[in-house]
């Protein structure tokens, strides 16, 4: 048996346990009561470049015993929240979101696998297959002109439904997932208002096989390589920065205030980042279920090369950004709805101002976000970049187990 096959047997043997979503808040998150699904294996083999290493099942079991404790990294270093070394800003919400529950010793930590498993999609086998995921020149031009592109099909509805099954495993506070301690942050309701619920979590790629695989999805990783260099000098190898889930339940969904992503990420340099927002439910404008909106051209808004200041780290005060905008920026503040269909994605620049209003519709609005960095981006702090990860010294490249390469343009080059 191949090592890849052995790894699938390991996952099946410790598949997810049943979850009963019974609380009022979970009901408001708009999900049916479901049972945890065993992770699915792949019927095909990965390409040679993506063959899993020997003994990785033993590595899973080992990593499963080293979960983060609230407020500390695995190594015991205190987590102070994301912010600049001079204390100018500390994201207190990040500290509040640090998991207070240890992962079970048998819980698989998928960050130990730096390749897709094949559970969500069949990995490309040839250079031509990789090239098939490229954006058109018009789409690349639109991204650099407006700061985003939208309505790019990246998942089937069936793939979305499978991911939503895994999403539902994270909703019962009284019976957390066995791998709960692997989250970087976990907010069942970030603002705390039961009438304006916003589920927001980071790090789920470490917890389930399907969410692990989506960060390697070529439909998003290949375009990211085309778009991620703001100077348009090269197509870059791309690494995972981190993932996110956002959930807005029917009738009670909260807002995500207007913001620029890089305002939260300036602990890394240079600014070669990109965000992919994938709709797991259709995002509608009429009725508005909290669809993502962008401000075209706002990727040119900065303060002496720095992003706009953060005005609300809970995301709850929708219009708080208006307090830091110039009159010219206010005059050009014209939100454009994305209207993403289920399985469609948007790609946006790290300075593009975006946000979403509350969900008062009868429909849920759940989304998976994958944030990428160009290979070679460096840490600009001596603190941990993400809670529970290994510290990377200031000035050192961001790499390693928690920041895997998801695509390298060399993979799409034909060989003689």
């Amino acid at each position: 048996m191949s090592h890849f096959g052995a790894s699938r047997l390991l996952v099946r043997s410790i598949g997810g346990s049943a979850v009963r979503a019974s609380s009022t808040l979970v009901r408001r998150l708009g999900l049916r009561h479901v049972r945890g699904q065993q992770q699915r294996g792949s019927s095909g083999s990965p390409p040679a470049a993506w063959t899993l290493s020997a003994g990785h099942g033993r590595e899973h079991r080992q990593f499963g015993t080293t979960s983060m404790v609230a407020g500390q990294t695995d190594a015991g270093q205190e987590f102070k929240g994301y912010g600049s070394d001079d204390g100018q800003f500390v994201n207190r919400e990040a500290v509040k979101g640090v998991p207070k529950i240890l992962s079970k010793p048998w819980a698989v930590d998928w960050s130990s696998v730096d390749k897709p498993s094949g559970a969500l999609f069949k990995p490309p086998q040839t250079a031509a297959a990789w090239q098939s995921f490229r954006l058109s020149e018009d789409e690349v031009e639109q991204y650099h002109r407006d700061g985003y592109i939208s309505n790019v099909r990246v998942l089937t509805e069936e793939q979305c439904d499978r991911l939503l099954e895994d999403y539902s495993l994270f909703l019962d506070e009284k019976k957390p997932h066995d791998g709960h301690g692997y989250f970087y942050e976990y907010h069942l309701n970030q603002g705390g208002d039961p009438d304006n619920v916003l589920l927001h979590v980071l790090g789920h790629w470490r917890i389930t096989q399907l969410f692990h695989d989506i960060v390697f999805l070529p439909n998003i990783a290949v375009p990211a390589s085309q778009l991620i260099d703001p100077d348009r000098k090269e197509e870059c190898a791309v690494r995972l920065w981190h993932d996110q889930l956002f959930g807005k339940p029917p009738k009670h969904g909260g807002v995500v205030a207007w913001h620029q992503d890089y305002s939260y990420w300036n602990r890394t340099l240079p600014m070669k980042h990109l965000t992919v927002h994938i709709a797991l439910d259709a995002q509608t404008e009429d009725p508005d279920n909290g669809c993502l909106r962008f401000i075209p051209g706002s990727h040119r808004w900065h303060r002496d090369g720095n992003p706009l200041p953060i005005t609300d780290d809970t995301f709850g005060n929708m219009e708080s950004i208006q307090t830091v905008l110039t009159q010219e920026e206010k005059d050009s503040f014209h939100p454009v709805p994305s209207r993403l269909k289920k399985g469609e994605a948007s790609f946006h620049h790290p300075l593009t101002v975006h946000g979403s209003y509350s969900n008062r519709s009868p429909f849920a609005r759940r989304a998976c976000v994958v944030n990428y960095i160009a290979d070679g981006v460096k840490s600009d702090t001596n603190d941990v970049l993400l809670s529970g990860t290994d510290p990377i010294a200031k000035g050192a490249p961001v790499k390693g187990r928690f920041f895997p390469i998801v695509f390298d343009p060399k993979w799409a080059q034909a060989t003689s």
Side-chain angles (χ1 to χ4, degrees):
M1 179 184 295
S2 69
H3 300 303
F4 186 59
S7 72
R8 295 204 305 270
L9 286 178
L10 171 69
V11 174
R12 290 190 181 113
S13 70
I14 58 175
S17 58
V19 173
R20 291 184 295 273
S22 58
S23 69
T24 300
L25 180 56
V26 170
R27 286 197 299 271
R28 287 186 172 182
L29 284 165
L31 289 166
R32 299 169 298 171
H33 293 200
V34 299
R35 291 188 177 274
Q37 302 293 313
Q38 288 187 333
Q39 305 296 343
R40 300 168 174 83
S42 167
S43 59
S45 298
W50 275 0
T51 301
L52 304 185
S53 60
H56 100 148
R58 293 191 297 275
E59 292 170 352
H60 279 317
R61 294 180 184 272
Q62 177 183 350
F63 286 134
T65 65
T66 58
S67 175
M68 178 183 65
V69 189
Q72 294 184 336
T73 70
D74 289 346
Q77 179 178 353
E78 183 181 0
F79 175 59
K80 301 176 182 178
Y82 312 134
S84 59
D85 287 339
D86 61 9
Q88 193 171 36
F89 169 78
V90 173
N91 187 345
R92 294 177 180 85
E93 286 302 303
V95 179
K96 287 165 58 178
V98 171
K100 299 175 176 61
I101 301 169
L102 293 173
S103 291
K104 298 294 174 54
W106 54 82
V108 173
D109 182 354
W110 281 97
S111 69
S112 63
V113 181
D114 63 357
K115 312 290 189 294
S117 72
L120 185 65
F121 62 91
K122 183 178 180 180
Q125 305 284 332
T126 65
W130 284 109
Q131 292 169 7
S132 70
F133 296 103
R134 290 177 59 84
L135 297 173
S136 70
E137 287 302 317
D138 287 345
E139 289 172 312
V140 173
E141 187 61 36
Q142 180 187 350
Y143 175 88
H144 289 289
R145 182 188 70 233
D146 297 338
Y148 71 97
I149 57 172
S150 192
N151 305 97
V152 179
R153 170 65 60 181
V154 299
L155 292 174
T156 66
E157 292 199 4
E158 187 269 343
Q159 287 172 313
C160 291
D161 290 340
R162 293 174 61 198
L163 288 161
L164 286 172
E165 289 176 0
D166 279 9
Y167 172 101
S168 69
L169 302 176
F170 306 145
L171 301 181
D172 193 344
E173 274 190 312
K174 296 181 179 179
K175 191 173 182 181
H177 190 281
D178 287 348
H180 187 93
Y182 297 139
F183 282 118
Y184 302 140
E185 292 182 43
Y186 177 85
H187 308 271
L188 191 58
N189 182 8
Q190 182 149 358
D193 181 353
D195 291 321
N196 291 281
V197 175
L198 178 68
L199 177 139
H200 181 210
V201 303
L202 288 74
H204 44 288
W205 81 286
R206 300 177 62 184
I207 298 174
T208 80
Q209 189 176 7
L210 295 181
F211 279 123
H212 166 271
D213 278 12
I214 199 172
V215 306
F216 297 93
L217 186 69
N219 310 60
I220 61 176
V222 174
S225 174
Q226 295 177 262
L227 303 174
I228 204 165
D229 182 2
D231 298 324
R232 306 182 68 173
K233 293 181 179 178
E234 60 178 343
E235 294 185 11
C236 305
V238 176
R239 290 185 179 272
L240 174 66
W241 173 222
H242 67 75
D243 58 348
Q244 294 169 281
L245 284 176
F246 287 96
K248 298 185 177 193
K251 300 181 181 179
H252 302 280
V255 305
V256 175
W258 300 110
H259 66 283
Q260 294 176 323
D261 287 341
Y262 194 64
S263 298
Y264 296 87
W265 297 341
N266 57 8
R267 58 193 184 274
T268 53
L269 290 171
M271 187 188 67
K272 287 188 176 182
H273 298 61
L274 178 140
T275 297
V276 185
H277 179 106
I278 305 171
L280 299 180
D281 298 300
Q283 299 191 11
T284 59
E285 185 184 11
D286 185 18
D288 188 350
N289 68 347
C291 78
L292 184 64
R293 285 171 160 81
F294 298 103
I295 309 299
S298 58
H299 60 305
R300 301 183 184 91
W301 298 358
H302 60 85
R303 300 295 181 263
D304 297 323
N306 296 311
L308 301 178
I310 293 172
T311 55
D312 182 5
D313 56 10
T314 69
F315 292 134
N317 186 347
M318 187 72 198
E319 303 299 336
S320 60
I321 197 173
Q322 298 291 336
T323 63
V324 299
L325 297 183
T326 66
Q327 188 58 51
E328 182 180 4
E329 290 164 347
K330 291 179 181 179
D331 291 343
S332 59
F333 201 95
H334 303 298
V336 176
S338 62
R339 301 188 188 95
L340 293 172
K341 296 178 182 178
K342 184 174 182 175
E344 288 185 341
S346 60
F347 297 74
H348 68 259
H349 187 283
L351 292 184
T352 299
V353 174
H354 59 288
S356 54
Y357 295 109
S358 60
N359 181 12
R360 295 298 181 259
S361 81
F363 310 108
R365 202 229 75 172
R366 295 159 290 187
C368 173
V369 174
V370 182
N371 304 295
Y372 290 129
I373 56 174
D375 186 33
V377 165
K378 297 179 180 179
S379 171
D380 196 38
T381 178
N382 286 315
D383 289 334
V384 292
L385 294 173
L386 297 165
S387 63
T389 65
D390 301 324
I392 296 176
K394 187 173 183 177
V398 178
K399 60 182 181 178
R401 166 184 159 197
F402 299 106
F403 310 100
I405 292 280
V406 297
F407 175 69
D408 189 320
K410 295 177 182 177
W411 302 348
Q413 296 174 1
T415 58
S416 56

